[in-house]
Amino acid sequence: MGDNKIWLSTPHMGGNEQKYIQEAFDCNWIAPMGPNLTIFEQNLENYLGSGHVAVLNSGTAAIHLGLILLGVKSGDEVLCQSMTFSASANPILYLGATPVFIDSEPETWNLCPVALETAIIDRIAKGKKPKAIIAVDLYGTPYKIEEIRLISDQYSIPILEDSAEALGSCYKGQKCGTFGDVSVLSFNGSKVITTSGGGAIVTNSAALKERAIFLATQAREDAPHYQHSEVGYNYRMSNVCAAIGRGQMEVLDEHILLRRKMHEFYLDVFKDIEGVTVFTVANENSFSNYWLSTVLLDPIKTFGITRENLRLVLAGANIESRPLWKPMHLQPIFSDYPYYGHAIAETLFTNGLCLPSSSNLTEADRSRIKTVILNLFSKKD
Ligand SMILES: *Cc1c(COP(=O)(O)O)cnc(C)c1O
């Protein structure tokens, strides 16, 4: 077919990004410092409503520094949601710590509180209390915020909230990215807004923010020469990338509206198709940015049509879709680490598919997607 490719999730510029980049060039702030960093950070702090934001060159860097801020060291154990992108878990290994993976629960697809507590009790019984909990707001869905916080408080284990996919999502009116003891955002090319590549760490104190910036800029101390007493990193965001971020903040709410419209579009497409459920948050306490719209197939009710059948017919029409994140405990690199739970994450991976969700898809794109789906399930438009 000669049709353009429809991607899962693409960058979507608002219009003012290039103006702010030009400003950066005009004053020669082509460096990982400059006025756009401060402005982008202030914009994010205003948007989140609470917390102190330091912008970095990736979400992965933010998770790495976040674990350091929470005191994770070599030999420690870190509890981590298994169903996620590998960037949630890789920084545990950077630190020489051990990941302990936890299953999801079916309502949010995020950390299962029961499996989490079972893991904590068992790890303590085996002689080591875990140092941190990595909880993810997968596909924009807030995790079980209150249940996980209760467990965190009961055992005094801090939460690192991975909100890489959830900028703009809320729980009871409070923004995701403000629920962790440390939280993390990502501005990679596929996310709700992008700086081409970038991330942020959100902390609950100005002092922790300063500490994050200190570590992200080579841990250089206040002296006329270069003075270092700690290991540092080169993780600060570029002023040019922050210019893109400034422009993107102006269209963030509009882009979330458009992502949510894609979710409504899929609810409509699948409304008469037996055995396919469009993932939707459970109640009005949770508000999702619906970064990606996702569906679960029940091959018994679809008369044998699997998520792989759906993926392949879409691919045949030049439309990208992707299975849900493959759980970390099933990945070769992580298969030797402990896992607590059952097969919720595994079953989601087997039957789930992410569908094109960009904020810049057109009516014609939606119509193409709808036709392919209805054809597969033999439904008339
Ligand atoms: C994108 C993503 C990250 C990593 O962010 P980068 O900016 O790409 O480094 C971390 N966790 C999750 C769940 C993500 O989706």
Side-chain angles (χ1 to χ4, degrees):
M1 290 176 70
D3 287 326
N4 293 338
K5 177 139 185 171
I6 297 177
W7 300 92
L8 201 61
S9 184
T10 62
H12 183 187
M13 292 299 109
N16 283 334
E17 291 84 358
Q18 280 180 309
K19 183 179 101 188
Y20 298 131
I21 291 172
Q22 189 60 49
E23 278 179 31
F25 274 69
D26 290 343
C27 53
N28 205 30
W29 279 111
I30 315 296
M33 56 169 70
N36 286 326
L37 274 81
T38 316
I39 296 169
F40 187 30
E41 284 172 348
Q42 277 168 358
N43 289 344
L44 285 163
E45 286 173 3
N46 291 341
Y47 186 80
L48 293 175
S50 67
H52 300 260
V53 176
V55 290
L56 304 175
N57 57 17
S58 75
T60 310
I63 294 170
H64 189 185
L65 289 190
L67 291 175
I68 293 171
L69 292 184
L70 294 179
V72 174
K73 296 202 165 61
S74 176
D76 287 339
E77 293 189 351
V78 176
L79 301 153
C80 183
Q81 181 166 326
S82 183
M83 179 138 182
T84 185
F85 181 43
S86 64
S88 304
N90 277 330
I92 303 171
L93 298 189
Y94 301 168
L95 288 165
T98 302
V100 174
F101 292 110
I102 311 292
D103 203 358
S104 292
E105 50 79 26
E107 192 176 288
T108 68
W109 298 2
N110 293 315
L111 268 187
C112 170
V114 178
L116 179 67
E117 187 161 22
T118 305
I120 292 172
I121 292 168
D122 191 56
R123 299 323 289 177
I124 292 173
K126 287 190 160 72
K128 210 172 236 180
K129 187 171 117 176
K131 267 294 179 61
I133 299 166
I134 300 180
V136 187
D137 302 307
L138 214 63
Y139 302 120
T141 310
Y143 59 85
K144 295 223 160 204
I145 302 284
E146 291 173 64
E147 289 87 338
I148 302 298
R149 176 52 69 185
L150 272 176
I151 294 170
S152 157
D153 286 347
Q154 185 180 346
Y155 295 93
S156 301
I157 304 174
I159 297 171
L160 186 146
E161 180 191 20
D162 181 348
S163 298
E165 303 176 358
L167 181 59
S169 296
C170 303
Y171 181 73
K172 291 191 172 170
Q174 185 183 333
K175 291 270 176 5
C176 287
T178 64
F179 292 106
D181 295 278
V182 165
S183 300
V184 163
L185 304 171
S186 167
F187 314 112
N188 207 332
S190 66
K191 302 288 158 70
V192 169
I193 60 168
T194 184
T195 57
S196 76
I201 187 162
V202 188
T203 67
N204 51 23
S205 80
L208 268 185
K209 167 181 171 170
E210 284 316 308
R211 171 112 185 113
I213 294 173
F214 169 75
L215 292 172
T217 51
Q218 308 288 20
R220 186 184 167 190
E221 285 157 31
D222 191 15
H225 57 277
Y226 283 86
Q227 177 76 19
H228 308 273
S229 320
E230 283 183 76
V231 176
Y233 302 86
N234 183 7
Y235 278 174
R236 195 68 164 135
M237 180 178 277
S238 151
N239 189 58
V240 179
C241 293
I244 306 176
R246 267 180 83 182
Q248 290 272 278
M249 286 306 287
E250 296 172 2
V251 291
L252 172 57
D253 277 330
E254 184 190 327
H255 286 193
I256 289 169
L257 216 74
L258 292 164
R259 296 246 172 200
R260 288 174 54 85
K261 276 199 171 153
M262 287 308 298
H263 174 257
E264 279 171 32
F265 161 73
Y266 288 114
L267 283 175
D268 180 63
V269 169
F270 287 102
K271 67 180 186 299
D272 295 323
I273 297 175
E274 190 66 21
V276 184
T277 323
V278 179
F279 178 85
T280 301
V281 295
N283 56 55
E284 64 282 358
N285 286 336
S286 290
F287 176 89
S288 175
N289 64 11
Y290 289 120
W291 168 58
L292 293 184
S293 287
T294 56
V295 285
L296 269 189
L297 280 76
D298 177 345
I300 295 169
K301 292 191 187 151
T302 60
F303 299 99
I305 297 175
T306 64
R307 73 112 151 98
E308 209 40 25
N309 297 137
L310 178 54
R311 190 183 73 75
L312 289 172
V313 293
L314 288 165
N318 215 9
I319 299 167
E320 184 184 33
S321 67
R322 204 64 70 81
L324 303 188
W325 297 122
K326 181 174 177 179
M328 292 304 112
H329 71 281
L330 303 176
Q331 301 283 0
I333 178 71
F334 293 120
S335 60
D336 289 342
Y337 297 105
Y339 170 73
Y340 291 84
H342 301 283
I344 304 283
E346 198 169 338
T347 307
L348 290 170
F349 171 63
T350 305
N351 295 319
L353 195 68
C354 303
L355 298 169
S357 305
S358 303
S359 45
N360 53 5
L361 290 175
T362 63
E363 207 46 53
D365 294 332
R366 276 187 285 276
S367 157
R368 258 175 72 198
I369 296 167
K370 183 172 182 176
T371 303
V372 174
I373 292 171
L374 295 188
N375 271 343
L376 174 68
F377 292 93
S378 305
K379 296 273 181 191
K380 286 271 172 288
D381 196 349

